[in-house]
Amino acid sequence: MKPRPFQFLDVPRRLPKELPANVRVLGWQEIYGGFDAAGAAEQGARCLDCGNPYCEWKCPVHNPIPDWLALVREGRLFEAAELAHSTNPLPEVCGRVCPQDRLCEGDCTLNTGFEAVTIGSIEKYIVDEAFRQGWRPDLSAVRATGRRVAVVGAGPAGLACADRLVRAGIEAHVFDRHAQVGGLLTYGIPAFKLEKSVMDIRRAVLEGMGVRFHLGTEVDAALGGELLRDFDALFLGTGATTPVDAGLPGQALPGVLSALPFLVANARRQRGERHADDPAIELAGRRVLVLGGGDTAMDCVRSALRLGAAQVTCAYRRGEADMPGSRREVKNARDEGVRFLFHRQPLAIEGAGQATGVRLVETRAAAGRGGAIETVPGSEQVEGADVVILSFGFRASPAPWWGEHGIALDGAGRVRTDGTSGATSHPKAFAGGDNVRGADLVVTAVHDGREAAHAIARKLGPGNRVG
Ligand SMILES: Cc1cc2nc3c(=O)[nH]c(=O)nc-3n(C[C@H](O)[C@H](O)[C@H](O)COP(=O)(O)OP(=O)(O)OC[C@H]3O[C@@H](n4cnc5c(N)ncnc54)[C@H](O)[C@@H]3O)c2cc1C
Ligand code: SF4
């Protein structure tokens, strides 16, 4: 397709086809379809090719977005895939789950009256289609260095690190307690945002590049010590999945679930995996009340609908504009039938022997106290529910053995690093993703894994060992 300087004047922003809300809730398939070559080229041609591309700067991994949009416009798919991978080891994942409205698309120049280029959907198209046509990363020029690095965690941080290590000729051995790769991409983010076949393909691609996975393996103090001793370096990409405990009276009652175990149990069930600790998630015909307003809460409400709940309500202690997650996900939840109660703070779970509801109190802005809120006296009420899901966010999940090996933490339990390369206080250990930042985003975890791998490769250069 020939470039047309002002295509955005004639061609409006279009997303790939979206399943209607009443169809979506009947299953778990991704709600957005994909572009075909013509659709991707047409939308990509809306790019102004700005001299100073704000989208690229806003993207945490600094994807060369205008350049791969141009390649798509010219039908040079494999080159676009190569370029997309030059900055991002998991572009098809980021294209699906990044909050583009806050990142690349939020800073697109066309937002000044013409709506942003559909960057995420084109990124997804490039990689899905290139893989479908048989393209694979070309490592034929890579020379083995004889170095070996252990990666703990097969989430986006660990996978990104492993990808860059093997590209540098370093053996990457990835250990994870789960049976599948992906971390929260597989056992957190539901399939209607990221179908699990995407991770199966990525696993096969990484294995084809030489990454070795050791799944179903808990890295405890003994194994952690062995990895530090036997490998040239260690990367910790272990995430941050300890739930914030609101300490609500009644939260131990049957019928009260914590968000992540609920989502993990659902993900395992869909993959035919069983785990003794998984909670019961039979929600058919039940009234479900989710407490919290972030992306995880949206994943819970939308999963509850698909599990057949009769009514799904989300209660959040502030207003809609204050919700911390993606606007797109709130809209999707509302379209699918979720009911929202804003300015409601939970006080206690009600019930004797079984949860029957949540005592809520109304909140309002506290006069003269910045963004603080206060409760409204006399506004308590009980919202009935058969199942209550707690989704108040996550904090760090440090393993006791890190301290034993001199890997220092900050006051919040996050791994302390140098802030750029992921180097920790242990000379052989690097870290990145949620275990360093606290609960954050897929793309920032990818960034950290990539940067740590580069730093490890520099340190393990000819003749060097880390430490
Ligand atoms: C429900 C939910 C929805 C989300 N949705 C989005 C979204 O739409 N977009 C977005 O950008 N971000 C989203 N996030 C955030 C995003 O998933 C995380 O920021 C990202 O996955 C962090 O990557 P990570 O590699 O640091 O950790 P994780 O993805 O948590 O992976 C860590 C891995 O380490 C393994 N591990 C830990 N300790 C050990 C050990 N001792 N032995 C063996 N294995 C171990 C774990 O099993 C896990 O597989 C969401 C988070 C949640 C919880
Ligand atoms: S990685 Fe995320 S922020 Fe960067 S271009 Fe892709 S969708 Fe946008």
Side-chain angles (χ1 to χ4, degrees), residues 96-99 152-159 175-178 180-185 187-190 193 217-220 237-241 260 263 295-297 299-300 328-329 394 397 399 401-402 432-435 438-446:
R96 286 172 162 86
V97 303
C98 272
V152 184
L159 295 181
F175 298 81
D176 200 295
R177 61 167 68 101
H178 283 304
Q180 302 290 337
V181 309
L184 289 173
L185 304 177
Y187 296 100
I189 298 177
K193 281 165 62 181
T217 306
E218 177 73 32
V219 180
D220 55 10
T238 50
T241 49
L260 196 55
L263 294 169
D295 280 337
T296 302
D299 290 343
C300 289
R328 181 180 65 188
E329 299 309 314
F394 302 97
S397 317
W401 62 268
W402 298 350
D434 282 3
N435 65 3
D440 199 30
L441 292 175
V442 171
V443 68
T444 50
V446 165

Side-chain angles (χ1 to χ4, degrees), residues 27-98:
W28 295 91
Q29 66 269 49
E30 281 181 15
I31 70 166
Y32 300 107
F35 280 132
D36 59 11
E42 182 197 61
Q43 288 295 304
R46 295 182 70 241
C47 175
L48 294 169
D49 196 11
C50 306
N52 186 1
Y54 296 112
C55 56
E56 191 170 322
W57 286 110
K58 190 70 177 192
C59 168
V61 292
H62 301 313
N63 278 336
I65 297 163
D67 296 337
W68 42 250
L69 291 176
L71 290 170
V72 168
R73 193 182 64 220
E74 292 163 18
R76 294 157 65 187
L77 179 68
F78 286 6
E79 288 163 81
E82 193 75 49
L83 191 60
H85 281 80
S86 69
T87 46
N88 187 346
L90 302 175
E92 77 288 16
V93 174
C94 290
R96 286 172 162 86
V97 303
C98 272

Side-chain angles (χ1 to χ4, degrees), residues 7-359:
Q7 173 118 336
F8 65 92
L9 290 175
D10 307 326
V11 178
R13 170 184 163 94
R14 255 192 295 270
L15 286 166
K17 269 215 174 96
E18 192 179 325
L19 285 177
N22 60 339
V23 176
R24 287 183 215 165
V25 294
L26 302 175
W28 295 91
Q29 66 269 49
E30 281 181 15
I31 70 166
Y32 300 107
F35 280 132
D36 59 11
E42 182 197 61
Q43 288 295 304
R46 295 182 70 241
C47 175
L48 294 169
D49 196 11
C50 306
N52 186 1
Y54 296 112
C55 56
E56 191 170 322
W57 286 110
K58 190 70 177 192
C59 168
V61 292
H62 301 313
N63 278 336
I65 297 163
D67 296 337
W68 42 250
L69 291 176
L71 290 170
V72 168
R73 193 182 64 220
E74 292 163 18
R76 294 157 65 187
L77 179 68
F78 286 6
E79 288 163 81
E82 193 75 49
L83 191 60
H85 281 80
S86 69
T87 46
N88 187 346
L90 302 175
E92 77 288 16
V93 174
C94 290
R96 286 172 162 86
V97 303
C98 272
Q100 287 104 6
D101 47 354
R102 289 196 270 137
L103 297 175
C104 51
E105 294 181 10
D107 266 29
C108 175
T109 309
L110 285 183
N111 275 321
T112 50
F114 297 94
E115 292 196 288
V117 176
T118 52
I119 297 168
S121 303
I122 296 176
E123 188 177 26
K124 166 178 137 168
Y125 157 78
I126 292 170
V127 183
D128 285 358
E129 185 56 21
F131 281 161
R132 202 187 62 77
Q133 293 186 23
W135 176 87
R136 294 293 181 270
D138 178 8
L139 273 67
S140 56
V142 172
R143 295 288 162 262
T145 62
R147 303 298 194 186
R148 297 163 73 236
V149 172
V151 174
V152 184
L159 295 181
C161 184
D163 172 289
R164 294 297 123 140
L165 289 171
V166 293
R167 287 173 189 264
I170 296 169
E171 257 186 43
H173 290 256
V174 183
F175 298 81
D176 200 295
R177 61 167 68 101
H178 283 304
Q180 302 290 337
V181 309
L184 289 173
L185 304 177
T186 299
Y187 296 100
I189 298 177
F192 51 79
K193 281 165 62 181
L194 175 65
E195 270 169 22
K196 302 314 157 196
S197 57
V198 175
M199 295 315 300
D200 294 340
I201 294 171
R202 178 52 68 178
R203 175 179 174 177
V205 169
L206 287 167
E207 285 174 334
M209 294 165 68
V211 175
R212 302 189 197 179
F213 290 108
H214 307 267
L215 300 174
T217 306
E218 177 73 32
V219 180
D220 55 10
L223 180 54
E226 275 176 42
L227 299 180
L228 277 168
R229 189 191 62 219
D230 298 343
F231 283 79
D232 292 303
L234 174 83
F235 175 75
L236 293 172
T238 50
T241 49
T242 306
V244 171
D245 183 359
L248 290 176
Q251 67 182 18
L253 281 169
V256 181
L257 302 175
S258 186
L260 196 55
F262 164 67
L263 294 169
V264 171
N266 189 40
R268 284 206 183 109
R269 185 151 85 174
Q270 288 174 0
R271 295 200 73 115
E273 295 174 33
R274 295 249 178 280
H275 201 287
D277 297 337
D278 284 346
I281 54 166
E282 317 312 330
L283 300 186
R286 320 291 293 276
R287 293 166 306 160
V288 176
L289 178 55
V290 176
L291 304 178
D295 280 337
T296 302
M298 294 309 105
D299 290 343
C300 289
V301 288
R302 298 176 67 199
S303 295
L305 282 173
R306 285 161 174 80
L307 287 166
Q311 176 186 282
V312 181
T313 306
C314 173
Y316 178 54
R317 66 197 181 99
R318 293 175 179 272
E320 181 166 0
D322 308 313
M323 292 178 93
S326 161
R327 302 274 162 274
R328 181 180 65 188
E329 299 309 314
V330 177
K331 177 183 181 305
N332 284 334
R334 184 175 275 123
D335 290 350
E336 290 170 9
V338 173
R339 170 176 165 252
F340 284 90
L341 295 175
F342 292 111
H343 300 289
R344 300 290 203 295
Q345 182 162 313
L347 297 176
I349 315 287
E350 300 281 313
Q354 168 69 37
T356 55
V358 179
R359 180 166 297 278

